[in-house]
Amino acid sequence: MKRISTRIAVSLILTLLLAHAAFTWVPTPGLIPFGSFSGGPFDIVNNQNLNVHFEIPVLSKAGRGLAFNYPIRYDTTVWRVNNSTWTPAAAWGWPNGAFEPTLGYVWFSTVASTCTSGGQNYNYTTYQLWNYTQPSDRGFNTPFSFTISDASVRTPCTGQPPYSATETATDGSGVTISATAQPSATIYFRDGSTLNPSLNWGGNPGTLTDSNGNQITATVPASSVLTDTLGTTAITAAGQGTPSSPITLQYTNAAGTTSTVTLKYAAHTVQTSFGCSGITEYPPTPVNLVSEIDLPDTTKYTFSYEPTPGAPSNVTGRLASVTLPTGGTISYSYTGGSNGIVCADGTAAGLTRQTPDGTWTYTRSGSDPAWTTTMTDPQANQTVLNFQGPYETERQAYKGSSGTGTLLDTVYTCYNGAARPCNTTAITLPLTQITKTNSWASGQTSQTVTTLN
C-alpha cells in the first residue's frame, strides 16, 4: 500500500462557522464553511440536512476597501418547531428586507417579564436568543449566548438580567456583539470592521464600516437605499414590507441607465399536514409567496410550491420547482419521515431533485447528531455519507448501489485530531484541524491534514 502524507498549514479567519455546540446542532440555511454539498451549478444541496440553497445575482461591484454584493438568495428549509408548533422562517426562506443580502441583520426574541419590589409587581422586557444572520453570500447564523433586559430602567427591582452585554459568538468565529436593551447592537469582526445592524428583520438602517473607515450604508426613506463605499447609490428597493405587490430593485448599469429586477408575489393558502405527534400544525393562512423574479433582460425565474398533503389546493410553503431563464426546470419533492419532514427539526427527511439531466435522490436516517445520507445519481450509482452534526465524517462511493455495487472509494474526514474511523466522535467548535484520508479500491491511500487558526 502506498501512503502519501501531506500537511497543509492554512491561516484562515474562520469567518462564522455554524452552530451552538456539538450536542445542540441547529439546522442553518446557507453554505456553512466545511460543509458537505452536491448539486449545482444553479442550486446547491446540503448533503447533511438536504436544504437546497441558491442565489440569483443582482449587482456586484468593486468599492473602496469593501466590495458591494447584492444577490437574492433562497433556502428550502422553511419550517422549525417552536413551542411544539410548526413555525415558518421569516419571509418563507427569501431575504428579509432590502438590507439582508448585503449587510445581514441581528435578530433576537423578546419575553414579557415581571418582578416584585416592595410588594408591587413591575413589568419589563427580556431580550434573549441573539443571533447575527449573515449576508446572502454567507447565509447562516452566528449565535450568541446572553440575556439582557430593560428591568433597570423600568423597575426598582434588583438582580434582573443586565441592561447591556458584550459577548463573543459561540461558533468559534471570534465575532463579537455589544448589545443593549434599548434595544441596539454593534457587531465587531476579526478583520477590524464593524456593523451597526438592522434589528429583527430589516426594520431600521444599517452601516458596515471597515478598518479604514469605508462604509456601506442602508437607509429607510420611502424606499430602501443602499450606498456603496464610493458614496454612490448602489441599490434602491421599493415595495419592501408589502409582499402583495412587486418589490423592485433598481441600480445604474454600465451604460449609465437604470436596470430593474422585480420580485412578484402570488396569493397562496399555506397549511401544514406533516402529522408529527405533539406538534401543532400550521393552520390554513393566506400568504403571498414569491412567484416570479423578472430580470433586466426580460428573462425571468418562476417558482411553484409543494401542495399540502390532504389539501392539494393549499401549499406547505416548501419549494416544488424553479424554472430558469433558459427554460429548464428543476423540481423538488420531499420524501420519507413524516410527509417528507423530520419532526425533530423541520429538515427534509428525503429529497428527489429532478433536473433536465436526470434525477438525483437523497435519503436520510439517524438522529442528532449522527446522520447518514444516501445519494443516488441519475446513473443509479450511490454514495453513502455519514455525519456528526453538520460535518461529514465518512464517504463511500459505489459503482451501482451500496448493497450490490462495487465500492470504489472511502474517505474519512476527522476533526481536531480525532483518529479514524471518527463516525462516533463528537465534534466541538472551533475547528482547528481537518484530516482527510482517502482509500481507493486499488489499495492506494492518501492523507491531507489541514490546520486552521
Side-chain angles (χ1 to χ4, degrees):
M1 178 177 72
K2 183 179 181 181
R3 180 181 177 87
I4 303 171
S5 180
T6 305
R7 287 188 174 269
I8 305 173
V10 182
S11 179
L12 293 176
I13 296 175
L14 299 184
T15 312
L16 311 165
L17 280 173
L18 164 64
H20 291 203
F23 304 105
T24 56
W25 298 108
V26 176
T28 306
L31 307 178
I32 71 166
F34 312 112
S36 174
F37 305 103
S38 57
F42 172 72
D43 58 339
I44 300 174
V45 180
N46 183 319
N47 296 327
Q48 190 268 344
N49 60 26
L50 305 189
N51 177 68
V52 179
H53 176 91
F54 59 77
E55 298 181 6
I56 298 171
V58 175
L59 177 64
S60 295
K61 57 188 298 190
R64 184 189 297 115
L66 292 170
F68 183 90
N69 184 36
Y70 193 108
I72 298 169
R73 68 119 174 98
Y74 177 79
D75 291 284
T76 58
T77 302
V78 297
W79 291 106
R80 62 184 176 88
V81 180
N82 183 31
N83 294 326
S84 300
T85 301
W86 286 118
T87 303
W92 300 94
W94 296 96
N96 281 307
F99 306 157
E100 180 189 351
T102 299
L103 301 179
Y105 60 91
V106 165
W107 60 273
F108 50 83
S109 67
T110 59
V111 178
S113 304
T114 61
C115 63
T116 301
S117 179
Q120 184 174 344
N121 292 332
Y122 295 89
N123 298 322
Y124 65 93
T125 303
T126 297
Y127 301 85
Q128 60 187 17
L129 301 178
W130 292 74
N131 284 260
Y132 170 49
T133 292
Q134 302 301 310
S136 291
D137 57 348
R138 301 182 184 127
F140 48 95
N141 297 327
T142 297
F144 304 91
S145 58
F146 67 94
T147 298
I148 59 178
S149 77
D150 59 1
S152 61
V153 297
R154 295 180 59 179
T155 81
C157 302
T158 59
Q160 304 306 318
Y163 180 77
S164 61
T166 297
E167 292 283 340
T168 299
T170 58
D171 62 1
S173 64
V175 174
T176 297
I177 187 173
S178 181
T180 72
Q182 187 175 2
S184 65
T186 302
I187 297 289
Y188 299 91
F189 300 98
R190 277 179 139 175
D191 63 2
S193 59
T194 61
L195 174 69
N196 296 109
S198 179
L199 299 179
N200 274 16
W201 309 294
N204 57 290
T207 301
L208 176 64
T209 306
D210 71 11
S211 57
N212 293 313
N214 302 306
Q215 292 185 331
I216 294 175
T217 61
T219 57
V220 193
S223 299
S224 299
V225 176
L226 289 106
T227 303
D228 63 22
T229 55
L230 302 178
T232 60
T233 296
I235 293 281
T236 300
Q240 298 290 315
T242 56
S244 58
S245 59
I247 291 176
T248 59
L249 306 170
Q250 293 188 322
Y251 61 91
T252 301
N253 58 38
T257 59
T258 299
S259 291
T260 302
V261 176
T262 304
L263 284 74
K264 295 182 178 179
Y265 291 80
H268 294 275
T269 298
V270 174
Q271 175 188 4
T272 65
S273 184
F274 296 132
C276 293
S277 176
I279 302 176
T280 302
E281 302 287 359
Y282 191 81
T285 306
V287 169
N288 294 296
L289 300 175
V290 174
S291 60
E292 184 177 316
I293 297 177
D294 296 344
L295 304 180
D297 62 0
T298 73
T299 62
K300 62 185 178 181
Y301 295 84
T302 59
F303 307 93
S304 69
Y305 298 88
E306 176 191 35
T308 300
S313 60
N314 299 338
V315 299
T316 67
R318 296 195 293 188
L319 190 68
S321 71
V322 52
T323 299
L324 308 176
T326 56
T329 297
I330 304 174
S331 300
Y332 309 96
S333 58
Y334 307 91
T335 59
S338 187
N339 283 324
I341 206 164
V342 175
C343 296
D345 59 16
T347 57
L351 176 71
T352 299
R353 174 177 173 265
Q354 177 71 51
T355 75
D357 297 324
T359 301
W360 294 77
T361 62
Y362 301 79
T363 59
R364 295 175 72 201
S365 62
S367 60
D368 189 45
W371 291 94
T372 299
T373 297
T374 300
M375 177 173 59
T376 307
D377 69 16
Q379 290 74 45
N381 301 307
Q382 289 189 329
T383 301
V384 180
L385 305 105
N386 293 318
F387 296 88
Q388 275 287 317
Y391 299 112
E392 182 182 320
T393 56
E394 183 182 4
R395 171 182 297 234
Q396 292 181 305
Y398 293 84
K399 181 179 180 181
S401 73
S402 59
T404 60
T406 301
L407 178 62
L408 302 177
D409 188 17
T410 300
V411 182
Y412 284 105
T413 305
C414 301
Y415 304 87
N416 298 342
R420 74 179 192 277
C422 48
N423 290 338
T424 59
T425 303
I427 299 172
T428 56
L429 297 176
L431 301 183
T432 58
Q433 180 177 298
I434 301 175
T435 303
K436 184 167 290 189
T437 306
N438 201 313
S439 299
W440 287 275
S442 63
Q444 292 182 311
T445 300
S446 68
Q447 185 178 85
T448 301
V449 179
T450 303
T451 301
L452 308 163
N453 64 23

